[in-house]
Amino acid sequence: MKNKDINIRDPFVLSENGKYYMYGTRAKNFGVNVDGVDVYVSDDLENWSEAKECLRSSDYGLNGGVNWAPEVHKYRGAYYMFITFTQKNGLRGTYVLVSEKPEGPFKPHSIGAVTPDGWECLDGTLYVENGVPYLVFCHEHTQIIDGTVCYIRLSDDLTKSVGEPVTLFSGSEPDFVDGPISNGHYVTDGPYMFRTKTGVLLMLWSTFIRGQYAECLVRFENGINGTFEHLEPLIDDDGGHGMVFYAGERLMLTFHTPNVTDYERPKFIELADKGNTLIKKAD
């Protein structure tokens, strides 16, 4: 399969064992009856295996409708999937699943959602700082109007969250956000943490700019608990919910575009690591 043949949202690539494993939200029936996650395997980021199901959520009594933004991180010798489901209380939250292999199968690991009780959340990503695991996630605009990006500490075994959530910023905060999407709502989604070659901590996240889906950047000082600033967006023409990874010596950004149901495809572009920010290689 080629990238043009793969209809997914929120692509996430794990580079492991000399291969690339790509996961994403099944775009067909998005938010209605997704019921699982597929993995695609490649040697070159252009030619992919056929979809292999690595999770069928209904097998474990998990909601089959919302199965959003699967990410797979290697942690302490195993592979952990962070994925959003609708909980029994009707609110979305991020769960942790586990497998011994990148291709799965993945099975439930966390004790329910690791996002805060009573919050509607999505797009949780794992970030480890000084050996301490954190979940960085979004508190949904569907519940609080002005969506936020937050973090919370996780237990060392990733089965639950510990402590209180910390809000980093709201969707309306950056100067480049020119207004709400509708009815005063500001979107935040797709956070992903990355350290540059000089150790600077960055975060990718997505929102809407001039009505177009966008991939944005935040730069931290002194880690996730430190001060931060919003940088110029990487993508502002209907592409977002991305992440970065190394393909050999190349630093790659993958994201989905367009942000239109049934037409979403994974896209890959090379980035340049400038030490204190990331830019598109062509720049």
Side-chain angles (χ1 to χ4, degrees), residues 41-113:
V41 185
S42 175
D43 295 319
D44 58 11
L45 302 179
E46 295 180 2
N47 300 287
W48 297 90
S49 68
E50 294 293 324
K52 176 186 176 182
E53 188 171 71
C54 59
L55 167 70
R56 182 174 298 172
S57 51
S58 57
D59 285 351
Y60 303 103
L62 297 168
N63 178 268
V66 171
N67 291 198
W68 290 355
E71 299 190 1
V72 175
H73 298 260
K74 190 174 184 179
Y75 176 81
R76 296 187 176 182
Y79 300 91
Y80 292 89
M81 178 182 285
F82 291 74
I83 181 171
T84 296
F85 295 112
T86 298
Q87 304 171 78
K88 292 181 180 179
N89 62 7
L91 299 174
R92 292 190 285 269
T94 296
Y95 289 63
V96 184
L97 293 84
V98 67
S99 175
E100 296 179 353
K101 300 181 295 183
E103 59 267 33
F106 288 86
K107 300 180 180 180
H109 176 74
S110 62
I111 306 168

Side-chain angles (χ1 to χ4, degrees), residues 1-8 11-16 18-24 38-52 243 245-247 250 252-255 265-269:
M1 299 182 73
K2 302 289 188 180
N3 289 310
K4 64 181 178 62
D5 303 316
I6 301 175
N7 182 206
I8 60 171
F12 186 95
V13 173
L14 173 70
S15 179
E16 185 76 354
K19 295 184 180 296
Y20 304 105
Y21 298 85
M22 181 168 65
Y23 314 84
D38 301 314
V39 59
Y40 302 82
V41 185
S42 175
D43 295 319
D44 58 11
L45 302 179
E46 295 180 2
N47 300 287
W48 297 90
S49 68
E50 294 293 324
K52 176 186 176 182
M243 57 84 64
F245 65 98
Y246 280 100
R250 296 185 302 158
M252 304 299 295
L253 166 69
T254 183
F255 57 96
R265 298 294 186 272
K267 185 171 182 178
F268 296 87
I269 63 172

Side-chain angles (χ1 to χ4, degrees), residues 17 37 44 57 60 84 87 137 158 164 166 217 237 264:
N17 305 322
V37 175
D44 58 11
S57 51
Y60 303 103
T84 296
Q87 304 171 78
F137 64 95
L158 307 184
E164 296 298 319
V166 177
L217 273 178
D237 56 353
E264 308 95 328

